[in-house]
Amino acid sequence: MMTRNPPPEGIDSTRPNVARIYDFLLGGKDNFAVDREAARQLIAVTPDMAGVVRDNRSFLGRVIRYLADEAGIRQFLDLGGGLPTRTNVHEMAQSIAQDARVVYVDNDPVVWSHGQALLARGDQVAMVRADLREPDDVLRRPEVLALLDLDRPVAVVCASVLHFVPDDDKPYQVIAEYRDRLAPGSYLAVSHGTTATAEEDPGDVVGGVTSVYRQASAQLHVRSRAGIQSFFDGFEMVAPGVVWINEWRPGRGFRPAGQPRSLRGGVGRKPGAAR
Ligand SMILES: C[S@@+](CC[C@H](N)C(=O)[O-])C[C@H]1O[C@@H](n2cnc3c(N)ncnc32)[C@H](O)[C@@H]1O
């Protein structure tokens, strides 16, 4: 959207938008001048902000590979999936298991319209415009029910999105509702902006980033390690638990790209035998 055309209806081009800022940081073109300005402010706070975003995508790639390969998951519900980018979750999953099915959920109109265009070619992928804070609505959508068998294990992926849900919107209750509706053997994967000690973050990058997001379409609510762990109540953690994302099964040859103390993440499994 680096074009000069007016934005499509329902799209606010005057306020920085979390999906489009992220797109710009990833090198995408689906963003407006306000988003690029906010991204520049983030880069002024921490020059390797684009690296943080790349590290998050790399974490997501390792998680999806683990889920599709080692855990044998074939159904994915990607909450806050974001704008289509170079390698999307369905491409990651289908490169391991061709029959993997993915439903993306996002409440942003730009994400939805670009997602529709991208997904027009696949019958194992869908994009739903919905708010993740309403699990009952999400889990009853026809696109979800058409692609995902909720009686069998599903991986719910929340990459870099739960930090846009304030405590007042009851994010723990929301995730617990997904958990309770999922079959045993399902998984939850989370990456999340996090608080750091003065020693870990001497320049208060987290504070600076949080203040840039104050003017955006959604505000940033970073949480402590314990706060992120609490999303996994009722799940058994996959080793190594909730850690800095670059420390989650990095594998040989892994090179971090950004500020290492920004996001924590983990993967948990709902106990019980998968049907
Ligand atoms: C930073 S992007 C992350 C994209 C992708 N998950 C990733 O990690 O690369 C956050 C996405 O979450 C979406 N989002 C934020 N709040 C949401 C909500 N309440 N329901 C659904 N999507 C939401 C935004 O529109 C945006 O596309």
Side-chain angles (χ1 to χ4, degrees), residues 50-59 62 245-260:
V52 171
V53 167
R54 285 204 302 280
D55 284 344
N56 181 57
R57 293 298 302 180
S58 165
F59 166 79
R62 299 194 302 281
I245 54 169
N246 290 341
E247 292 169 9
W248 199 88
R249 300 178 174 235
R252 228 184 300 153
F254 170 73
R255 297 266 173 284
Q259 142 85 255

Side-chain angles (χ1 to χ4, degrees), residues 17-19 22 26 53 56-57 60 78-83 85 105-108 111 130-133 158-161 163-165 191 213 218:
N17 168 287
V18 297
Y22 189 82
L26 273 177
V53 167
N56 181 57
R57 293 298 302 180
L60 183 57
D78 187 359
L79 303 176
L83 280 156
T85 180
V105 175
D106 207 290
N107 63 354
D108 186 279
V111 172
D131 196 310
L132 73 86
R133 290 170 292 189
C158 297
S160 218
V161 63
H163 49 222
F164 294 120
V165 182
S191 66
Y213 275 104

Side-chain angles (χ1 to χ4, degrees), residues 122-144:
D123 58 0
Q124 294 180 163
V125 190
M127 152 81 56
V128 173
R129 185 173 168 193
D131 196 310
L132 73 86
R133 290 170 292 189
E134 290 167 25
D136 189 53
D137 173 43
V138 169
L139 294 174
R140 283 173 192 266
R141 290 296 183 102
E143 300 91 331
V144 172

Side-chain angles (χ1 to χ4, degrees), residues 20 70 76 87 145 160 185 187 214-215 241 265 273:
R20 301 184 320 236
E70 287 185 50
F76 296 82
T87 311
L145 296 173
S160 218
Y187 284 82
R214 248 174 233 136
Q215 41 164 337

Side-chain angles (χ1 to χ4, degrees), residues 3-255:
T3 68
R4 304 286 168 260
N5 297 329
E9 211 177 313
I11 292 174
D12 184 355
S13 63
T14 63
R15 191 171 196 205
N17 168 287
V18 297
R20 301 184 320 236
I21 295 171
Y22 189 82
D23 172 72
F24 178 73
L25 291 168
L26 273 177
K29 290 192 166 46
D30 302 324
N31 46 72
F32 296 110
V34 276
D35 310 311
R36 297 192 282 279
E37 177 50 32
R40 282 186 202 106
Q41 289 173 20
L42 291 171
I43 291 166
V45 173
T46 175
D48 55 2
M49 189 68 200
V52 171
V53 167
R54 285 204 302 280
D55 284 344
N56 181 57
R57 293 298 302 180
S58 165
F59 166 79
L60 183 57
R62 299 194 302 281
V63 164
I64 300 298
R65 196 174 323 126
Y66 168 82
L67 292 169
D69 192 2
E70 287 185 50
I73 290 290
R74 294 292 175 268
Q75 314 190 91
F76 296 82
L77 183 63
D78 187 359
L79 303 176
L83 280 156
T85 180
R86 196 167 302 152
T87 311
N88 299 292
V89 163
H90 68 282
E91 291 155 332
M92 296 172 184
Q94 289 170 358
S95 73
I96 290 157
Q98 270 186 359
D99 57 340
R101 299 181 299 287
V102 178
V103 179
Y104 296 100
V105 175
D106 207 290
N107 63 354
D108 186 279
V110 177
V111 172
W112 187 77
S113 63
H114 285 254
Q116 290 292 310
L118 170 90
L119 304 172
R121 4 192 170 111
D123 58 0
Q124 294 180 163
V125 190
M127 152 81 56
V128 173
R129 185 173 168 193
D131 196 310
L132 73 86
R133 290 170 292 189
E134 290 167 25
D136 189 53
D137 173 43
V138 169
L139 294 174
R140 283 173 192 266
R141 290 296 183 102
E143 300 91 331
V144 172
L145 296 173
L147 274 190
L148 308 182
D149 176 356
L150 298 179
D151 291 331
R152 299 178 63 82
V154 172
V156 172
V157 178
C158 297
S160 218
V161 63
L162 292 173
H163 49 222
F164 294 120
V165 182
D167 285 348
D168 284 352
D169 291 352
K170 304 192 168 42
Y172 297 106
Q173 218 167 292
V174 165
I175 294 301
E177 187 168 343
Y178 285 103
R179 178 199 64 213
D180 292 347
R181 303 271 294 263
L182 296 177
S186 291
Y187 284 82
L188 171 69
V190 173
S191 66
H192 196 297
T194 188
T195 49
T197 62
E199 222 169 58
E200 289 164 340
D201 182 16
D204 191 22
V205 166
V206 173
V209 167
T210 303
S211 92
V212 174
Y213 275 104
R214 248 174 233 136
Q215 41 164 337
S217 55
Q219 285 68 55
L220 190 62
H221 304 272
V222 296
R223 295 190 168 92
S224 65
R225 191 194 162 283
I228 298 167
Q229 180 68 58
S230 295
F231 285 114
F232 293 99
D233 280 359
F235 289 89
E236 293 164 344
M237 293 312 293
V238 171
V242 172
V243 291
W244 299 109
I245 54 169
N246 290 341
E247 292 169 9
W248 199 88
R249 300 178 174 235
R252 228 184 300 153
F254 170 73
R255 297 266 173 284

